[in-house]
Amino acid sequence: MLLVLALGFGGIFARLVLLQVKDAAAFQALARDQRVRDIPLPATRGTIFDRTGQELAMSLPARAVFADPYLVRDPRSESRIIATTLGLSAASVFDRLTGGGRFVYLARGVDVAAAKSLEDRKLPGIGFQDESRRYYPAGALAPQVLGVVGIDGGGLAGLELQYQSLLAGRSGRQVIEEDPSGTVIPQGANVDQPPVPGDDLILTLDREIQYRAQVALASAVRANHAKGGTVIVLDPHTGDVLAMATYPWFDPNRLAAANPDNLTNRAVTDVYEPGSVNKVITAAAAVEEHAVDLNQKLMVPDSIDLYGRPFHDAHPHPPEQMTLGDIIAYSSNVGVIQVAQRLGQARFSSYLYRFGLAKTTGSGFPGESAGLLPPASAWSGTSMATIPIGQGVAVTPLQMACVYATIANRGVWVQPRFVRATVGADGQIIDAPSSASQRVVSERTAGIVTRMLAYAVDVGTGTQAQIPGFWVAGKTGTARKVLANGTGYGNKYVASFIGFAPAASPAVVVAAVLDEPITEFGGVAAAPLFQEIARFALSRLRIPPGRKLPAPPHAIPAG
Amino acid sequence: MVIGPLVFGVVALQALVSQSSFRMHEIVRQNAQLQQSYGQLKLQVAQLSAPGRIAQQARRLGLLVPDGGSVHTLDVPRTAGGAQQPTMEPAGFALKRLLGDQP
């Protein structure tokens, strides 16, 4: 009897030693795994505000719903419940639940309340993950500028991509101990690493100006039966982009339905031949270099032959005496070519670079193009005819808007910017540094060219850009498009108008570009678009009208 | 005599700590719910105040955008120059410090 007891106790003791000493570590780990949960805490992505603090993009907690098809017991019934709760198609959920494998997402970015009601059903094989979902509360407002985020919350395009590291923040984790019923054990393991939310961005965009610019652009595209269009509104003194839109656009809240062609911010990434709006560079260079006297009258025919190639003005006219002011006001191609020849290739080409062509603006926007400008050494004989009138050179709309902003800013080029400030995790607002700037032409030259541009709107090709009560300066542009195969020019045009207001004390620069409008002339197609946007921007920013500038010397009687 | 009250004291203290811990857990849960609801409300405000929605509502009410000639600036608080810097709402950003680091 004693022996049996001794053997029994000996066995128990041996087992105890095995459990408590030899296998203790393994069992400890097993027990810990059963009661300790390591929960990743995703960081909240930073909000994107407009310049007045209105939300343009924001993130809210959401949940991903996934399944382990191996553990799903009744796929038909479960797929019905899941589809009803999450608003999905039962057939597609069923396909996923029966598709094999051990992990399949059923839905991403699910509203927390909907996910909770599904979780409460405790369906076998169905799991949940914390994540966040990006919302764009104003819908299709500046979608190509803001960009988009991927399903995993990372920026894929636009400012969402450019500022990914700032917006993303840093994830945290929480380690807790639970009892078998899922209740947290007090004083158990409790490691807390709170997530650090991403910085917020305060953009330079103004939500109201952006909206009105988009409404005007969409309406102008429709009215002119154009293929698309781009508008930019800039503050010429700070480089702040107040609005930027490319039509057609998309709703970033329904990214899956978007046409991939509409995702890019063409105002920054795509180039076009600017046409006559480029003449402002020729005029500014000529004034700065004293290549032409302001009172000097040039005899301008309606066509000129260079290296066997004819160049025409837009409309036939007898040879006429024109000053530089007339040439710009009436957008004479022949006159501009004559001025460029007086300037000479070396001096003229240097101003193209000074005004920021052939290099990115430095805004840092993803995919920004530098434009296309052949080096002066590679110019042909006719380049001194085509480039001064804006053909044979390609620019982004933003580059060209910056050229006019330079004139509006008294000859100083300012780097455009999209972000005014950031807001750190501590709520501190940190202003973005002022934009880089450089003098391109003297204040005097900028003033003279402004008078010419104001005269162009007053009596020249840009009369449809006039704003009642304000004095506007600007220039029309009509450029033939290069054929898709690059072999020459077709019969399709880009019409544009770029200008600023008020002419005497510029507050906004507006670039309006229409792609393939039925009426090719910039003064007819794009100037009214400029007018509508500039008029609203001036009103929104409460800009006083300013005084009228004296007309530049002219040989053609006004009117 | 001494051990009895001591054991009772330790047990009572343990019960208190556990109770507080459960309460804290519940408060953390409520906090998360309130934050979620705060975020939803912020989103709703942003959606309702979006210019597109305001314009749509205005059109439904029969309002029209005035033409250029109808807009007159009567009170000009600043001289001509750069675009006016609109005011921001720092109070909203200050909340980030309080809410941002919550799970």
Side-chain angles (χ1 to χ4, degrees), chain A residues 334-465:
Chain A
V334 176
V336 167
I337 292 168
Q338 289 177 339
V339 171
Q341 283 175 334
R342 285 166 181 262
L343 202 53
Q345 181 179 322
R347 284 196 294 180
F348 171 63
S349 66
S350 76
Y351 278 89
L352 296 172
Y353 292 105
R354 281 198 221 179
F355 271 101
L357 273 57
K359 64 181 177 196
T360 65
T361 62
S363 69
F365 196 90
E368 181 173 12
S369 170
L372 299 167
L373 176 65
S377 57
W379 286 15
S380 69
T382 54
S383 294
M384 271 303 283
T386 56
I387 295 176
I389 62 171
Q391 301 273 186
V393 55
V395 297
T396 64
L398 182 61
Q399 278 177 321
M400 215 60 219
C402 288
V403 169
Y404 281 75
T406 304
I407 299 298
N409 193 34
R410 300 176 179 181
V412 177
W413 181 93
V414 180
Q415 188 178 68
R417 65 174 190 170
F418 292 92
V419 174
R420 255 181 96 179
T422 56
V423 185
D426 56 359
Q428 192 77 28
I429 299 176
I430 302 154
D431 287 332
S434 298
S435 292
S437 62
Q438 64 188 50
R439 179 159 290 285
V440 175
V441 291
S442 67
E443 195 171 335
R444 175 186 165 274
T445 297
I448 291 169
V449 175
T450 298
R451 283 168 56 196
M452 292 176 186
L453 295 175
Y455 190 60
V457 173
D458 201 16
V459 304
T461 54
T463 50
Q464 291 201 45

Side-chain angles (χ1 to χ4, degrees), chain A residues 296-321:
Chain A
Q296 190 174 351
K297 293 169 187 166
L298 304 177
M299 185 55 73
V300 181
D302 63 352
S303 76
I304 187 173
D305 272 5
L306 275 180
Y307 296 91
R309 192 178 149 192
F311 292 88
H312 303 279
D313 275 349
H315 303 287
H317 62 81
E320 264 184 296
Q321 288 202 321

Side-chain angles (χ1 to χ4, degrees), chain A residues 49 186-187 198 207 235 420 505, chain B residues 17 21 49 80 83 85 93 96:
Chain A
F49 296 95
Q187 301 165 68
R207 192 176 68 160
D235 179 331
R420 255 181 96 179
S505 49
Chain B
V17 168
S21 186
S49 66
Q85 302 291 305
F93 298 130
K96 187 176 179 179

Side-chain angles (χ1 to χ4, degrees), chain B residues 36-50:
Chain B
Q36 171 71 17
S37 137
Y38 172 72
Q40 289 287 358
L41 288 171
K42 258 180 33 170
L43 175 65
Q44 210 177 342
V45 169
Q47 284 169 333
L48 291 174
S49 66

